[in-house]
Amino acid sequence: MSFHVLGPLEARVAGEEIVIGGAKQRAVLAVLLLRAGEVVSLERLVDEVWGDNPPPSASHTLESYVSRLRQLFAGHGPRLVRRGAGYALELGDATLDARGFADLQERASLATAMEDPAAVVQLTAAALALWRGPALGDVALASAGRAEADRLEELRLHTHELRFDAELALGRHEPAIGELQALVAQSPYRERFVAQLMLALYRAGRHAEALDVYEQTRRRLDDDLGLQPSADLQRLSGQIVRQDAQLRRPVAATREPLRPRRSSRMATLVAGGLAAAAVMTLTASGGTAPVESGRLDVDLNADRVALVLPRDPAGADGRDPSVHYSALGFRNRTTAWGQETETFVIGELTDAERRARDVVAGGFDLVIVAGDGPGARALVPLVRSTASTRFAFIGQRLVDLGLAGAPNAAGYPFADDESALLAGYLSGLVPPRRQSTVGGVPDVISVVVSPRTPQTERVVAGFTRGAKRASDQVRVLVDYVADARDRTACEAVANEQIDAGSDVVLAFGGPTCSSAALAVVRARGVWGIRAEDDRTQGGQHILGNLSRYWEAAVSRPIDNVELGLDFPAGKDSVLGLADDYSVLFLAEEGYVSDSLWSKVVTLCSTIRGRTKKDL
């Protein structure tokens, strides 16, 4: 089953649209979808459907709408459950286009930060393709629900901005002009669109038209709003008049891939990744590289490569990043090298030991294990006795696995403590959100963690160090939840921490626990920081997001082996801020002041400048 809110409200089963019901029943479903996975109070539902003047029978009528929706969902995956004084729509295996859009938009923002315009264009195009019109344009909602729909609209416009910044960076100014003209006509006061159109016209040699766009915008702002163009737009106009050299068409630049900074022989790497660099090296030394297939015609150090995942990548998306992006990076890199591959899914419900033996029996040159699922645990006892195969554990430390010193194993753990340190530092400085708190900085922040492992303990330690760096007076509350699937326990812990005065809650407990804790955060009006695998939460309560670059991490051991670089046998190669594998970025723009964010960036630069030994 799929739900669609990026346009008229739709529900589909196996691609066929189903009838949702009348206007008020559609409004109930819309509100529940906008808060999917969270409890929406009866009072809120009544307000959204009937506004300020609900009839006496509103509550009874609402129950009938809920009953009908349950009948529509029966057997298709979603569950509409009663919790306390409200209802929650649990999507299960159903999809929601707004979630897919948010994930793609977030990845595009990260690609923008990584200065990868080609990726930005691809991601934003996919995100915008999900839209069919104004969000929930056919559903009448009260102020709160309409505000949520408007937030999605704002994200759509921002995604357009990201896309055209990237198009201009790639020198594609002429094709962008027509679309930008339409966007400026639709949103004439949005000065970023105006600036992009002016720049595109200027680079196309249409200088007079670029200045005319500025003059039309200036008059419209003055006549309609009594305002003048922003300083940035005025500056751009002056640069066009002077034909400033900074406005020239950008040189088509290649981007060095995110990778460890190794020896000088790697300095010639260009866009297309390490495999492209190998093509250049081989050609220069008399080797050959096929043109049509894009694969390398070389003697491989690892002819056969396997990937072990905890879940099936065919059903994964950005909400399951360790699986989705690991599979994507593995497929792209092994295709570039022309290696023979196989993917093994070893989950909680499979016979992990038998499947692990199948992996070992496959005679692979290199086995990449992504994440800390059952496959990793089942393979550990077999590693030392399989000397002909190299094992790369992504996101794991060998010491935690009991494989320290193993000559055919390497760990590639993420430096979550580094990004958590930045999160703690930001948490200790940001002004509280609660209206009852005036000014100042938080005196209590907290962490909801599940389960307790060496890795989660490192996250807690990093977060605490960052908070104490911001303020010696801040108190950090830490609570571990034994079962990461116990949503009620995670909600209770978050409530207890906020009752104790916490102004910021870091939820690091898997998607179920994290989503539950952050739902409480939203309801209680405090800040929340989420982990990468919780994409259900978004909005003004999300202060930041801890993330990992799985796609590049999985590619790294493959390239290390094939290019004769360091495969850290028996050791760990930590993937951290210094190489952009572990990051903290804001989930939404505009909620943290530039001055505060600059402090976090300064600390990040300090960490990046240190050696791994120093850290």
Side-chain angles (χ1 to χ4, degrees), residues 455-500:
Q455 189 260 342
T456 57
E457 288 181 337
R458 284 189 286 268
V459 170
V460 170
F463 186 80
T464 303
R465 286 199 308 273
K468 294 297 184 181
R469 186 181 185 115
S471 170
D472 289 335
Q473 306 302 315
V474 71
R475 186 159 56 100
V476 182
L477 307 177
V478 180
D479 288 288
Y480 291 91
V481 180
D483 186 354
R485 297 166 296 183
D486 190 341
R487 187 179 184 90
T488 301
C490 296
E491 289 174 346
V493 166
N495 269 312
E496 291 171 2
Q497 291 178 340
I498 297 171
D499 288 342

Side-chain angles (χ1 to χ4, degrees), residues 76-135:
H76 299 306
R79 296 174 60 243
L80 186 47
V81 297
R82 179 71 179 261
R83 289 201 182 128
Y87 292 96
L89 177 55
E90 296 179 350
L91 292 177
D93 294 332
T95 61
L96 176 61
D97 59 356
R99 286 185 173 179
F101 168 72
D103 173 64
L104 289 166
Q105 199 273 346
E106 189 172 281
R107 290 171 58 195
S109 295
L110 183 57
T112 299
M114 300 299 184
E115 299 181 0
D116 189 354
V120 174
V121 170
Q122 182 181 16
L123 291 166
T124 53
L128 293 168
L130 296 174
W131 285 77
R132 299 166 292 109

Side-chain angles (χ1 to χ4, degrees), residues 236-260:
L236 176 60
S237 173
Q239 288 177 301
I240 291 175
V241 171
R242 298 190 304 273
Q243 298 190 25
D244 195 315
Q246 293 182 3
L247 301 184
R248 291 175 183 167
R249 176 178 178 176
V251 177
T254 56
R255 175 179 173 270
E256 185 175 318
L258 298 174
R259 54 170 177 73

